[in-house]
Amino acid sequence: MRIIYTDTYQKMSEEAAKVIAGQLWVKPDSVLGLATGSTPVELYQNLVWLHKTVGLDFAQATSFNLDEYVGLAEDDPQSYHRFMHENLFNHVNMRRDRIFFPNGMAADAAREAEDYEARIAAAGGIDMQLLGIGRNAHIGFNEPDDAFARTTHKVALKESTIEANARFFSSAAEVPREAMSMGIGTIFRARHIVLLASGAEKAEAVRDAVEGTITPRVPASILQLHPCVTLIVDHAAGALLSGKSEP
Ligand code: F6R
């Protein structure tokens, strides 16, 4: 695993933007796997800036988001669909017909999950998958479990994740209890995985994921087996890694 240590959230975001911009410059028709949450917000601002100032081109790119809440319509202010449009898609030249999310409103979740996998496969697979990490080391909505979920599926959110995500809602009671998420296998098939982590509350999850036992109880630990992972951490999130030298 390649680890890029940065001092601040801003630097982490800039480094991440360089990695994704580099991907798009080398392969303009890249298939990107994208994440929501607090972590990538400034990365997306950097990508928008690169688009507007130096012409970073999304015209041939395709995107598949990691996850979406079950029961929220696309235009719901809390939907991941809305988040991605407000933070990235509305500000770059990504074609609308090349933007994909798992449909959290699908009547048949199992069928939707299969269709999502088929859409990813038809696009040629994911070239670069962006990930954040939960405090319990979840990736996507793959929560600690007895086994690694292989493909896209409907998942019940853990209480800790509901509490963590309540900051985006007026109360924890409003956070949907279920989501559709790419599985660990879906994520793992990406050719290059870029994992971002910022803040002291992620430090233990990062340490366990990178240096701990590989176990579905620490979902991100599976990334130790992937041949091409870039982890970009700020000072606080990387503080417990053994390779981290004090600045
Ligand atoms: C988001 C996602 C989640 C987040 C994780 C970290 O699409 O799949 O796994 O990446 O919960 O969230 P933040 O960045 O808000 O700390």
Side-chain angles (χ1 to χ4, degrees):
M1 190 179 293
R2 173 182 174 226
I3 304 181
I4 301 177
Y5 294 100
T6 64
D7 286 338
T8 62
Y9 172 70
Q10 285 72 25
K11 291 280 179 207
M12 179 207 76
S13 305
E14 284 171 24
E15 290 304 317
K18 284 185 212 165
V19 172
I20 293 183
Q23 172 71 34
L24 283 172
W25 260 302
V26 170
K27 187 171 187 278
D29 60 348
S30 288
V31 178
L32 302 175
L34 296 177
T36 58
S38 304
T39 310
V41 167
E42 204 162 310
L43 151 66
Y44 292 146
Q45 288 170 7
N46 279 293
L47 291 178
V48 171
W49 182 83
L50 287 168
H51 170 67
K52 291 194 191 309
T53 57
V54 293
L56 179 63
D57 189 12
F58 292 79
Q60 298 176 59
T62 299
S63 74
F64 287 91
N65 258 80
L66 273 169
D67 39 25
E68 179 57 284
Y69 286 120
V70 165
L72 295 192
E74 280 183 6
D75 60 351
D76 188 291
Q78 309 299 347
S79 76
Y80 285 171
H81 188 278
R82 180 90 169 249
F83 173 98
M84 287 304 302
H85 281 77
E86 286 177 354
N87 283 282
L88 181 66
F89 299 143
N90 289 349
H91 312 289
V92 297
N93 61 336
M94 183 89 109
R95 275 177 47 172
R96 294 297 181 262
D97 60 347
R98 293 209 181 123
I99 294 172
F100 298 97
F101 289 81
N103 178 7
M105 297 293 279
D108 184 342
R111 174 80 186 273
E112 169 60 17
E114 273 178 33
D115 287 352
Y116 202 58
E117 292 288 330
R119 285 196 287 272
I120 294 171
I126 292 171
D127 291 303
M128 178 168 280
Q129 176 67 54
L130 177 68
L131 297 176
I133 185 169
R135 281 179 288 189
N136 61 7
H138 71 221
I139 46 177
F141 273 125
N142 294 280
E143 303 278 17
D145 207 340
D146 294 334
F148 290 112
R150 301 187 71 82
T151 55
T152 300
H153 59 293
K154 185 156 94 170
V155 60
L157 305 193
K158 293 266 189 242
E159 208 47 52
S160 57
T161 300
I162 291 169
E163 277 164 30
N165 289 5
R167 66 192 192 281
F168 298 113
F169 294 78
S170 358
S171 72
E174 284 183 24
V175 183
R177 267 40 192 170
E178 294 176 320
M180 295 286 293
S181 176
M182 285 185 193
I184 294 285
T186 324
I187 293 168
F188 211 77
R189 280 193 293 277
R191 293 173 190 101
H192 184 175
I193 294 174
V194 179
L195 173 63
L196 305 185
S198 166
E201 69 277 13
K202 301 291 177 65
E204 284 182 21
V206 168
R207 179 200 57 204
D208 294 350
V210 175
E211 298 178 0
T213 307
I214 299 169
T215 162
R217 294 269 142 222
V218 181
S221 64
I222 192 82
L223 300 177
Q224 293 177 38
L225 298 179
H226 193 281
C228 189
V229 176
T230 302
L231 166 64
I232 311 177
V233 285
D234 67 7
H235 181 67
L240 300 179
L241 290 173
S242 59
K244 172 76 182 125
S245 52
E246 286 304 311

